Amino acid sequence: MPSHILIRNGTVLDPGRYHGPGDVLIEGPVIKAVGRDLPVSLRSPRSLLTIDATGLLVVPGLIDLHVHLREPGFEYKETIETGTMAAVAGGFTSVCCMPNTNPVNDNQAVTDFIRAKAAAAGKARVFPIGAITKGSQGKELADIGELVEAGCVAISDDGRPVMDSSIMRRAMEYARAFDVPVVDHCEDLHLTTRGCMNEGLVSTQLGIPGMPNAAEDVMVARNLALAELTGAKLHLAHISTAGSVRLIREAKARGLAVTAEACPHHFTLTDEATKTFDTNAKMNPPLRTSGDVDAIKDGLADGTIDVIATDHAPHAVQEKQLEFDAAPFGIVGLETALPLTLALVDDGILTLETALRKLTVEAARVFGLKKGTLAPGADADVVIIDPAREWTVDVSRFYSKGRNTPFASWRMRGKAVKTIVAGKLVYEAD
Amino acid sequence: MGLKRKDLLDVASLSAEDIHLILETADSFKEVSGREIKKVPALRGKTVVNLFFEPSTRTRTSFELAAKRLSADVINFSPSTSSIVKGETLLDTARNIESMQADIIVLRHPSPGAAETLARGVRSSVINAGDGCHEHPTQALLDLFTIRQRKAHLAGLCVVIVGDIAHSRVARSNIYALTKMGATVRVAAPPTMIPLYLDRLGVSVFFDLDRALEGADVVMMLRLQLERLGQAYLPSIREYARLYGLTAERMKRAKPDALVMHPGPLNRGVEIAPEVADSGAAVILDQVANGVAVRMGLMYLLSGG
């Protein structure tokens, strides 16, 4: 394996730093230089792998702040190995995994286990997210200090939102000592009891119990108020409603330290996708209406929503074959996020640079990761993207164990063709 | 002209012509149930499976009778639990049944969309006999059939549906069916029982039953599910009965020849007063009798008749 890589003749897009034709030279695990016509002296001919990136984009490796890798405990849905392979195939070199495993990642041992498994897999880097409360039961704080010490980059009870506002307050206060963001899945569980999809015209037509926008909005409002009270870093996961976007925009205008993410499915699909009772259109938060989709796009464009994250949530085929109300929430996202984000560029919603910022440098900033840049000396995590490549989503070819996507058979444009992590080529498209 | 479809899953996807055809066909089978030998050979050699995941006596019996009067072989299969509990998927259960050469599967299931999921996975015709709060198409068809017996046309009639619309598959199917046939539909219920954007289905919404009943041609009462009490949809049965129960006094606001309907079973004294249920205006037992004819017509059409 050559220890140096030279990526030549591509369009380098290092958001906020450089956008133009150029070469990228990688020496061992770090970026050595970026620029046009790099001096030949830097090229070590004996161990140099040269990649011709003519017509391709060369970008910092993508970062996903929100994935479920399912291990430990649910290896039949996904493992750290298959999940991180899906990540690099989708252009992601770093993923942050939610703690709702079994056991829950609420202690150092689980964090250590996840990091060891990720290192052994040798694909994408994995940054664990620790639990807010023990067992994500919402009652007692987890050992947040130890979790951070072990390598957790944020805390969240994703999937089991902290309903008790007083516990959430204490968690936000306590997290300040370690400067980690508190991530919340905003859902008032009392308002979504038995709910399976967005509450609106479609749920009325189908007779499916609904989950109103208000269930998200009230928790966003609560969390913003608590962030103001405590001074905590608050990150709001998978924002899906127009009301949330409005609340976050207003909070940011007042200078609150809040950040937010949106998922590709929430800016691509509406609840009309559930009309055939397709369980692959069932996720939480649910697909909303076109008004919400437009608000998410506006929020992405004006910076209210900082980051695009996938909420990659693999499930086994037999689980999604259940009746609509019995099937679990969630879809896979790592292998489709990039083209769905690039579609926003084609549609004139985001510039190419803004779109890629939300998958790289912005994501790194939100969780304080030293990632998302091609600056000399940075970790050599790089993705080479063919923005013009058209392909059809074939779930049988996913690297993820999950096949649960509403985008099966979609025509996509844009694909990661080579992914480099720590100076190693870990993925190459056919 | 046949019904150009494999299954009957909902009313939402039926055209007015489809509905008309089913009602006309049912009409021709109505007479069979009055004969001394109540049987025709239309489905001889065919197998109909009643697959009921929810307890039901009247709907299952009605389908069974309909199939038998068409000379089909009928199997009743009532798994006590759905796949949530049992671990076997609905599709696996149905494929097992299909391997027994079932021509028609009649499905009653607590999950909305269960019939559609099933229909996609099997070659047999599927008839939805109620899927969660989604639809109960044969109930709506037999309701239309019953109204048509008494009123010359469905178009132009004013039909009031009273009760828990949010959780009623009967209401949904009837709203779709009646609006497609040109009737005016009003619904009356406490706001907790009106789902979001119901007006966009082409109905007018009333919280005051007395106002809704003004000039009505048909009043369709829904059964109150008593478990809704614990979920804060209602303060008490007493208050519901007082505000939304159909009494003889209230019926005076409807047209003098107005019909009273109920899909059964009745909560006498709750949504319907006994003197109304037993009055000449009530066609509740006609609904039951017509259910057999409508289901005969439907099964005949789906089996290529």
Side-chain angles (χ1 to χ4, degrees):
Chain A
M1 188 88 183
S3 62
H4 295 17
I5 300 177
L6 178 66
I7 305 165
R8 297 185 60 219
N9 303 328
T11 299
V12 177
L13 207 176
D14 187 7
R17 289 176 40 85
Y18 184 85
H19 187 177
D23 303 340
V24 175
L25 180 67
I26 295 167
E27 202 174 274
V30 297
I31 305 280
K32 179 74 178 174
V34 176
R36 302 187 73 162
D37 304 319
L38 293 179
V40 179
S41 61
L42 282 172
R43 305 183 186 173
S44 147
R46 282 196 319 132
S47 60
L48 184 75
L49 169 68
T50 303
I51 296 171
D52 180 14
T54 305
L56 306 178
L57 276 172
V58 184
V59 176
L62 310 183
I63 301 166
D64 190 347
L65 296 188
H66 195 145
V67 302
H68 298 271
L69 295 179
R70 305 301 190 202
E71 188 177 1
F74 305 100
E75 292 82 358
Y76 69 97
K77 295 175 195 263
E78 189 85 289
T79 62
I80 289 168
E81 186 176 2
T82 57
T84 54
M85 188 60 221
V88 294
F92 292 92
T93 55
S94 294
V95 297
C96 304
C97 62
M98 284 295 176
N100 60 337
T101 46
N102 185 20
V104 168
N105 183 15
D106 63 358
N107 63 75
Q108 283 194 343
V110 179
T111 306
D112 290 345
F113 171 86
I114 292 168
R115 295 188 64 192
K117 280 276 180 177
K123 304 296 187 228
R125 299 175 196 265
V126 174
F127 296 94
I129 298 169
I132 294 175
T133 62
K134 290 196 175 75
S136 289
Q137 296 290 315
K139 296 196 173 78
E140 299 167 68
L141 291 187
D143 292 333
I144 295 166
E146 285 190 9
L147 286 166
V148 174
E149 230 170 72
C152 287
V153 294
I155 53 167
S156 178
D157 276 354
D158 186 67
R160 302 189 68 160
V162 181
M163 279 298 291
D164 185 325
S165 300
S166 132
I167 299 277
M168 194 56 160
R169 174 205 174 157
R170 298 304 174 205
M172 284 189 185
E173 285 174 342
Y174 195 76
R176 287 192 62 192
F178 316 100
D179 199 32
V180 285
V182 178
V183 183
D184 199 33
H185 163 129
C186 300
E187 176 186 357
D188 183 329
L189 298 172
H190 297 305
L191 282 171
T192 56
T193 315
R194 295 185 307 125
C196 297
M197 67 172 291
N198 179 54
E199 185 168 340
L201 178 61
V202 179
S203 68
T204 290
Q205 288 169 328
L206 300 181
I208 293 178
M211 310 163 84
N213 281 27
E216 178 172 311
D217 300 351
V218 297
M219 288 306 253
V220 167
R222 178 201 74 169
N223 289 332
L224 291 171
L226 291 177
E228 193 159 9
L229 173 69
T230 59
K233 273 190 192 169
L234 171 66
H235 179 66
L236 301 169
H238 45 46
I239 287 308
S240 74
T241 70
S244 297
V245 175
R246 212 162 46 229
L247 287 161
I248 298 163
R249 184 177 289 133
E250 189 266 347
K252 284 191 163 187
R254 286 191 297 112
L256 230 61
V258 56
T259 54
E261 74 192 29
C263 302
H265 47 275
H266 287 133
F267 59 69
T268 307
L269 298 171
T270 67
D271 58 359
E272 295 279 326
T274 56
K275 274 199 156 168
T276 54
F277 301 96
D278 180 4
T279 56
N280 288 324
K282 180 181 176 182
M283 70 289 284
N284 188 5
L287 297 173
R288 304 282 185 186
T289 66
S290 58
D292 296 298
V293 169
D294 290 343
I296 300 289
K297 289 178 179 172
D298 289 346
L300 285 165
D302 72 8
T304 301
I305 300 172
D306 306 80
V307 164
I308 293 170
T310 65
D311 193 7
H312 178 80
H315 290 294
V317 170
Q318 68 272 17
E319 293 172 311
K320 281 291 196 180
Q321 276 178 341
L322 295 176
E323 298 83 322
F324 192 87
D325 53 358
F329 290 106
I331 62 168
V332 292
L334 284 167
E335 293 171 79
T336 51
L338 176 60
L340 293 171
T341 302
L342 293 176
L344 294 180
V345 179
D346 290 340
D347 294 346
I349 309 291
L350 301 179
T351 64
L352 179 63
E353 178 154 355
T354 309
L356 290 170
R357 281 185 76 85
K358 290 177 191 296
L359 288 167
T360 56
V361 62
E362 288 293 309
R365 178 181 61 82
V366 167
F367 278 9
L369 310 176
K370 292 185 181 61
K371 293 281 163 199
T373 176
L374 298 176
D379 288 338
D381 296 353
V382 183
V383 59
I384 302 173
I385 296 167
D386 182 349
R389 179 151 164 186
E390 298 203 5
W391 57 288
T392 302
V393 179
D394 175 356
V395 295
S396 71
R397 302 194 59 192
F398 275 173
Y399 287 91
S400 170
K401 283 192 182 181
R403 299 288 178 263
N404 46 316
T405 174
F407 302 112
S409 304
W410 276 43
R411 264 320 259 177
M412 296 284 188
R413 207 154 88 97
K415 194 173 195 325
V417 291
K418 285 188 175 58
T419 307
I420 295 163
V421 176
K424 289 201 175 71
L425 185 63
V426 291
Y427 171 75
E428 213 171 342
D430 313 332
Chain B
M1 282 294 284
L3 199 56
K4 289 188 180 57
R5 53 178 67 223
K6 173 170 93 70
D7 316 290
L8 181 78
L9 306 177
D10 53 32
V11 178
S13 67
L14 290 178
S15 65
E17 291 71 43
D18 293 333
I19 294 172
H20 187 73
L21 173 66
I22 296 167
L23 297 181
E24 289 292 311
T25 311
D27 232 356
S28 64
F29 282 106
K30 175 76 185 159
E31 159 277 326
V32 174
S33 297
R35 293 184 196 169
E36 196 180 340
I37 310 279
K38 302 180 184 60
K39 234 177 177 49
V40 290
L43 258 64
R44 200 166 69 183
K46 305 260 185 190
T47 303
V48 174
V49 176
N50 281 327
L51 179 56
F52 275 59
F53 288 87
E54 275 183 346
S56 156
T57 310
R58 70 185 64 207
T59 304
R60 189 186 54 71
T61 309
S62 179
F63 271 106
E64 182 172 356
L65 216 48
K68 283 181 168 163
R69 286 182 185 167
L70 292 168
S71 305
D73 296 313
V74 186
I75 293 160
N76 290 310
F77 193 68
S78 303
S80 52
T81 53
S82 61
S83 56
I84 310 169
V85 183
K86 201 173 40 176
E88 184 183 40
T89 66
L90 169 64
L91 217 51
D92 283 330
T93 308
R95 282 177 181 157
N96 271 290
I97 288 166
E98 189 182 39
S99 322
M100 302 168 194
Q101 314 301 327
D103 298 285
I104 297 177
I105 299 175
V106 178
L107 180 74
R108 158 73 59 99
H109 198 284
S111 296
E116 187 162 333
T117 306
L118 178 65
R120 271 199 298 266
V122 298
R123 289 180 307 279
S124 318
S125 287
V126 174
I127 298 177
N128 180 7
D131 58 334
C133 301
H134 176 221
E135 283 220 40
H136 190 354
T138 58
Q139 178 70 42
L141 291 166
L142 73 88
D143 288 342
L144 262 58
F145 187 93
T146 306
I147 297 170
R148 238 179 43 153
Q149 278 184 322
R150 300 293 189 99
K151 308 282 179 191
H153 302 285
L154 292 166
L157 291 181
C158 174
V159 182
V160 187
I161 306 176
V162 187
D164 188 355
I165 309 296
H167 299 97
S168 174
R169 52 194 175 207
V170 174
R172 270 181 191 75
S173 288
N174 264 306
I175 287 170
Y176 294 131
L178 289 162
T179 52
K180 279 173 200 280
M181 301 310 279
T184 300
V185 180
R186 299 173 181 169
V187 301
T192 47
M193 295 181 157
I194 302 290
L196 287 183
Y197 306 119
L198 186 69
D199 55 322
R200 291 213 225 153
L201 302 188
V203 305
S204 23
V205 176
F206 292 75
F207 303 141
D208 179 342
L209 177 57
D210 289 322
R211 284 190 46 215
L213 290 174
E214 294 291 346
D217 294 290
V218 178
V219 186
M220 216 177 251
M221 303 305 296
L222 300 174
R223 176 179 166 80
L224 181 70
Q225 304 290 323
L226 301 177
E227 68 265 24
R228 301 285 171 229
L229 262 180
Q231 302 161 357
Y233 288 97
L234 296 172
S236 67
I237 300 287
R238 190 183 130 271
E239 179 154 308
Y240 182 82
R242 202 169 67 77
L243 295 176
Y244 296 98
L246 190 62
T247 58
E249 188 56 32
R250 281 213 161 103
M251 267 307 282
K252 288 178 187 162
R253 295 172 179 266
K255 286 194 183 148
D257 60 346
L259 306 178
V260 174
M261 307 179 78
H262 193 298
L266 309 179
N267 289 312
R268 284 174 177 258
V270 181
E271 71 266 3
I272 191 164
E275 68 267 27
V276 178
D278 302 329
S279 71
V283 291
I284 298 166
L285 296 176
D286 297 357
Q287 289 173 269
V288 178
N290 292 334
V292 178
V294 166
R295 287 163 180 138
M296 286 171 80
L298 182 65
M299 285 194 266
Y300 172 75
L301 287 170
L302 287 180
S303 59

